Amino acid sequence: MYFESNRSDEEGLLAVGTVVMNRVEAGAFPERICDVVGQPRQFAPGVLTKPMRAQDRPRIEQVADAVLAGERHASVGRAMFFHTAGRRYPYGNMHYVALAGGNAFYEKRGRGAPEPAPQPGPAAAGGATATLAVQSRPGPEITAAQTILNEPARNICQVAA
């Protein structure tokens, strides 16, 4: 979230976190967060190795904890893709659903598009976010605050594993 949303406001961080969790819950992507963000050519280079700035940690931890607790960006919905806002691509299968944190979020539609995760329950009304019941895979409960180390982000995945 931190490196993909230009370290923007909470809305941008939540939007990126929503895409990551949508991928975790979809059959076409890995089942673990660290495996999703570590996929080649999917997220910013170094996303698992660059250290975060200490002054940004409290905000990042707060949003990460919210994502892990099931909060999602309502406008992003079930989208599993995004790119830098302002860029244009000539593909006809990109259905844009939201702009947040300097990114444009979209769903791929049509032949060859990955099957989205199952639709969650009804979203709470109002605001850019909604708290949803998440169908997560079983595993230990680890909050972002427990996994944020004073080291590169790669270690977060080692602790969470």
Side-chain angles (χ1 to χ4, degrees):
M1 296 180 328
Y2 181 72
F3 295 106
E4 290 289 355
S5 65
N6 298 326
R7 297 166 195 91
S8 69
D9 60 12
E10 288 77 10
E11 180 186 11
L13 295 168
L14 183 62
V16 171
T18 298
V19 166
V20 170
M21 296 310 290
N22 286 348
R23 286 184 178 199
V24 166
E25 295 173 2
F29 295 94
E31 296 180 359
R32 295 179 56 235
I33 293 169
C34 294
D35 294 339
V36 166
V37 298
Q39 283 187 294
R41 296 176 302 281
Q42 294 296 306
F43 292 90
V47 72
L48 293 176
T49 58
K50 293 180 185 176
M52 290 186 270
R53 297 183 329 176
Q55 64 265 31
D56 292 336
R57 285 180 198 266
R59 185 168 50 93
I60 303 306
E61 290 172 358
Q62 180 182 8
V63 177
D65 284 341
V67 169
L68 291 173
E71 189 167 343
R72 301 292 182 263
H73 190 286
S75 296
V76 171
R78 295 175 10 170
M80 291 187 281
F81 303 95
F82 63 93
H83 61 73
T84 303
R87 293 198 174 175
R88 299 282 182 246
Y89 297 93
Y91 309 114
N93 67 341
M94 299 167 74
H95 174 75
Y96 290 92
V97 296
L99 289 172
N103 292 309
F105 295 82
Y106 63 95
E107 298 172 349
K108 283 186 180 179
R109 295 189 176 169
R111 217 174 81 216
E115 190 66 33
Q119 181 69 38
T129 63
T131 301
L132 304 175
V134 178
Q135 297 174 1
S136 61
R137 294 180 177 87
E141 284 192 31
I142 300 175
T143 66
Q146 290 173 309
T147 62
I148 300 297
L149 304 176
N150 193 15
E151 298 181 29
R154 171 188 335 184
N155 295 325
I156 294 169
C157 290
Q158 291 171 352
V159 170

